[in-house]
Amino acid sequence: MYNRSDSQLSSFNIKSFFIEWIFLIFFLLILSIFVSFMLFHQNEDILKREEDRLLTQAKILNDNLLNQINSIEQALLSTRGIIEKDGLSDKKSKDHVEEHLKTYVKVLPYLRAFVALDKNGEVIATSREDILGFNYSSREYFSNIKNNPSKGKLYVNRPYKTLLGAWTINLALMLSDEKGDFNGVIFAVFEPLQLMKTLESVFYANDMRSSIIHGDGTLFLMAPKKDEVLGIKINTENSFLYKHKLGNKLNSIYKGKTFIANDNRLVAFYTVNPQNIDVDSSLYITVSRDLNALYVNIRTEIYIVVALMIILILSSIIGLYLLQRKRYFSRIKEIEQEEEKRKILETYAYIDSMTQIANRRYFDQFLDKEWRYCQRNKKNLCIVLIDIDNFKLYNDRYGHQAGDECLKKVARVLDDNLNRSHDFIARYGGEEFICILPNTNIEDAKVICEKLRVEIENLKIPHEDSKTSNVVTISIGISCTIPNENIEMNDLIRKADNALYLSKKAGRNKLSVEL
């Protein structure tokens, strides 16, 4: 275009670049918050799913142990009934009882031994002949029942070390005489190796740990095996066991540092609570996972997402910087080129001094060049004549100075809206303008001209004396042809003038075509 001035350089708006940076920062911030929110909830979902799985595994162990306790209790009751009814005074009765005990040990895989003690703690019947005659009166489980006798209670005794150094636990019932007084103990000893297999059977990850804890807080068994911690009391005030017992729930789950290994774990608790059995102490099942191992997959995913976010942020920043830099220098170059063209036009007096667009002299030269080009390449060439409606009345009402300003505004809008590099506009005389649209068919020309008409109307320059509208409007005439030897340039201009006349005759503020 040809109406650019020194103000073009200052029109380059740095504020638009700043707004783009604000939008980019806002977008990246929202995206970061959204991704963080999703990762947080994914992390919470993983934790919740793992809690459910651990509680399920703990319940499996609980149900298994409950079945064993119920079976052992029935075996103890049956054996106690035989002993209290028939006694062990003769060999036949004793052999009969021991046969029962051995059968129970074979049938119940969790049992290591069945033992009956008299009121002095001496072995009077057992599934293991090697301990017959031993005296266990010094054992805590014997003295506990002797000092706190209860016929209907199942004693879950504190874990203890056997003579072979293995930790075990037993379930016991009190034997009574005909008066109902204490007359001995019958107890079943758990097989720790079998219990260890059961604890390991619920593992689905290498970092898992399970254990059985006595009601007084003594650690009885742990899988994987860790002998040095067995027998330790873990019922301190800050321990998970203490919190679980305090909550008085069947099951619960905790997250944090464990009492034994001081490592971060997710621990599920289950209270082994036999129905319809009066026990003197409960047992507790735990199943846990290492939190660090649990989060290893999500941590890897977080690292990947963070890395991608950093790449996105850096690429967005660099991309916007390079794009704005390219646009900036492109704009500067464009302004410099247009400024150079303007100076050249001014130098050769091709610029209309009032409107700062090309004058009629330059129009004649430009038309001649474009005519020959379109004739040579058999391209369409359109001529557009534009007239400001009722301009004389405008001058009469508002004065010639206002008229000059109106001409400038109209010229600027027309020039700004002819966006193609080969489009041309010039002041043709008075209130008339003329456009050259090379390589343009009639339909495209009509679209371009309608846009020009609407843009002028949208300026809303007041024109109270206009017979067409209360604002300044334009009428447009269009002619179009493919130049050849049989057509003169003036014929095309004449047809555009005829089309302009038709627009005025039809009421102005319109466009018309003559081919």
Side-chain angles (χ1 to χ4, degrees):
M1 302 305 160
Y2 303 97
N3 67 333
R4 304 295 185 257
S5 65
D6 291 339
S7 63
Q8 289 174 307
L9 187 60
S10 61
S11 69
F12 180 76
N13 196 352
I14 300 297
K15 183 180 179 181
S16 65
F17 279 9
F18 178 74
I19 292 174
E20 289 174 356
W21 281 106
I22 293 295
F23 273 111
L24 177 63
I25 293 171
F26 178 76
F27 168 75
L28 293 175
L29 181 62
I30 294 299
L31 182 61
S32 299
I33 293 173
F34 174 75
V35 171
S36 300
F37 177 80
M38 293 299 294
L39 288 175
F40 173 78
H41 277 273
Q42 185 177 3
N43 183 59
E44 291 298 308
D45 289 342
I46 288 176
L47 189 63
K48 182 64 173 66
R49 287 198 301 270
E50 196 60 33
E51 288 177 356
D52 294 339
R53 291 183 72 183
L54 289 176
L55 285 172
T56 299
Q57 302 305 89
K59 186 178 186 304
I60 291 172
L61 292 178
N62 171 75
D63 293 346
N64 190 299
L65 195 54
L66 277 176
N67 289 335
Q68 297 303 318
I69 291 174
N70 287 327
S71 297
I72 292 171
E73 195 246 359
Q74 290 300 315
L76 287 171
L77 287 172
S78 175
T79 306
R80 182 174 70 175
I82 295 173
I83 293 174
E84 290 181 346
K85 179 181 177 181
D86 301 333
L88 298 174
S89 56
D90 58 79
K91 187 176 185 306
K92 184 179 178 181
S93 300
K94 184 176 180 182
D95 290 343
H96 176 68
V97 170
E98 289 187 342
E99 190 64 31
H100 267 75
L101 299 182
K102 291 175 182 178
T103 301
Y104 288 137
V105 172
K106 290 179 183 179
V107 172
L108 299 174
Y110 286 81
L111 282 186
R112 186 174 191 174
F114 246 108
V115 183
L117 307 179
D118 64 14
K119 62 182 179 181
N120 297 315
E122 187 173 324
V123 177
I124 54 175
T126 177
S127 61
R128 292 178 51 186
E129 296 179 356
D130 56 328
I131 63 171
L132 196 61
F134 277 42
N135 189 290
Y136 291 100
S137 59
S138 60
R139 287 287 191 177
E140 182 182 359
Y141 56 78
F142 179 81
S143 58
N144 177 44
I145 300 173
K146 184 177 180 179
N147 295 330
N148 301 283
S150 176
K151 180 78 172 179
K153 190 180 294 295
L154 177 67
Y155 293 87
V156 183
N157 292 299
R158 186 186 301 177
Y160 62 94
K161 263 189 176 183
T162 66
L163 296 176
L164 297 177
W167 282 90
T168 188
I169 200 168
N170 67 47
L171 303 179
L173 293 176
M174 183 190 86
L175 294 174
S176 61
D177 56 21
E178 60 277 2
K179 296 180 180 180
D181 295 331
F182 176 79
N183 196 36
V185 174
I186 181 168
F187 62 88
V189 183
F190 273 107
E191 173 54 68
L193 293 178
Q194 192 64 36
L195 287 174
M196 181 67 74
K197 291 179 182 179
T198 303
L199 290 178
E200 293 173 344
S201 68
V202 297
F203 289 176
Y204 53 84
N206 293 332
D207 58 283
M208 292 189 70
R209 185 188 298 163
S210 58
S211 64
I212 300 176
I213 306 169
H214 188 263
D216 71 346
T218 303
L219 180 61
F220 164 44
L221 208 58
M222 177 186 288
K225 191 175 182 181
K226 200 171 183 180
D227 290 339
E228 63 271 20
V229 299
L230 300 183
I232 294 177
K233 280 202 171 187
I234 60 174
N235 194 28
T236 61
E237 188 172 343
N238 294 324
S239 68
F240 293 153
L241 176 62
Y242 179 83
K243 294 176 182 178
H244 173 69
K245 292 172 69 175
L246 193 64
N248 196 29
K249 296 179 181 178
L250 179 64
N251 60 70
S252 55
I253 195 154
Y254 299 96
K255 180 176 67 173
K257 288 189 178 295
T258 60
F259 179 81
I260 296 174
N262 199 34
D263 54 349
N264 281 311
R265 301 189 74 83
L266 185 66
V267 186
F269 277 84
Y270 232 99
T271 302
V272 182
N273 188 22
Q275 297 295 316
N276 303 319
I277 300 178
D278 182 15
V279 294
D280 73 325
S281 179
S282 298
L283 291 176
Y284 299 99
I285 297 289
T286 74
V287 181
S288 67
R289 282 205 67 184
D290 188 331
L291 282 173
N292 292 326
L294 180 62
Y295 289 144
V296 65
N297 292 332
I298 185 64
R299 191 180 295 117
T300 301
E301 186 174 336
I302 289 173
Y303 290 154
I304 293 173
V305 171
V306 170
L308 291 175
M309 283 296 298
I310 292 174
I311 292 172
L312 176 63
I313 291 171
L314 291 177
S315 61
S316 300
I317 292 173
I318 294 172
L320 182 58
Y321 168 76
L322 293 177
L323 178 62
Q324 289 184 344
R325 187 174 184 272
K326 181 180 178 181
R327 285 162 50 199
Y328 176 81
F329 286 109
S330 175
R331 180 62 177 155
I332 295 300
K333 185 177 180 180
E334 180 184 345
I335 292 174
E336 290 174 349
Q337 290 174 345
E338 292 180 358
E339 183 67 15
E340 185 178 352
K341 290 179 183 179
R342 189 188 66 80
K343 288 179 179 179
I344 292 173
L345 289 176
E346 286 180 344
T347 302
Y348 291 98
Y350 289 158
I351 292 291
D352 179 73
S353 60
M354 179 187 294
T355 60
Q356 294 297 300
I357 61 174
N359 59 17
R360 184 164 182 170
R361 177 183 177 184
Y362 190 70
F363 164 77
D364 292 335
Q365 293 185 11
F366 193 88
L367 177 59
D368 180 67
K369 182 180 70 171
E370 290 299 324
W371 183 275
R372 284 184 279 109
Y373 171 81
C374 291
Q375 182 177 344
R376 186 169 58 251
N377 294 282
K378 294 181 171 44
K379 303 285 187 181
N380 282 305
L381 180 67
C382 290
I383 294 293
V384 178
L385 268 173
I386 300 171
D387 185 76
I388 300 177
D389 296 328
N390 302 302
F391 189 70
K392 183 179 183 304
L393 297 176
Y394 185 94
N395 277 334
D396 293 342
R397 175 66 183 261
Y398 299 99
H400 289 283
Q401 188 173 356
D404 291 344
E405 289 300 318
C406 177
L407 285 172
K408 291 178 184 178
K409 291 178 180 178
V410 170
R412 172 64 59 84
V413 170
L414 295 175
D415 190 24
D416 286 345
N417 284 277
L418 291 175
N419 298 316
R420 301 182 304 177
S421 61
H422 53 279
D423 292 343
F424 181 90
I425 186 167
R427 186 180 181 192
Y428 200 57
E431 68 270 24
E432 283 189 339
F433 301 89
I434 193 163
C435 302
I436 301 174
L437 304 177
N439 193 20
T440 306
N441 60 43
I442 189 63
E443 294 302 321
D444 290 340
K446 288 165 69 176
V447 171
I448 293 171
C449 291
E450 177 61 17
K451 180 182 178 183
L452 296 178
R453 188 195 66 77
V454 171
E455 290 296 329
I456 295 301
E457 192 172 23
N458 287 341
L459 282 174
K460 298 188 183 304
I461 301 172
H463 191 350
E464 295 181 3
D465 292 342
S466 173
K467 299 176 182 179
T468 305
S469 173
N470 60 354
V471 295
V472 170
T473 58
I474 58 174
S475 295
I476 301 174
I478 308 169
S479 63
C480 187
T481 190
I482 298 177
N484 58 65
E485 296 81 6
N486 301 320
I487 304 175
E488 296 292 332
M489 288 184 289
N490 288 334
D491 291 336
L492 194 62
I493 296 173
R494 181 180 51 78
K495 289 182 178 181
D497 191 58
N498 291 341
L500 177 61
Y501 173 76
L502 293 175
S503 294
K504 292 180 179 180
K505 188 177 180 181
R508 303 180 185 268
N509 193 24
K510 290 178 174 55
L511 59 91
S512 302
V513 177
E514 181 172 327
L515 301 177

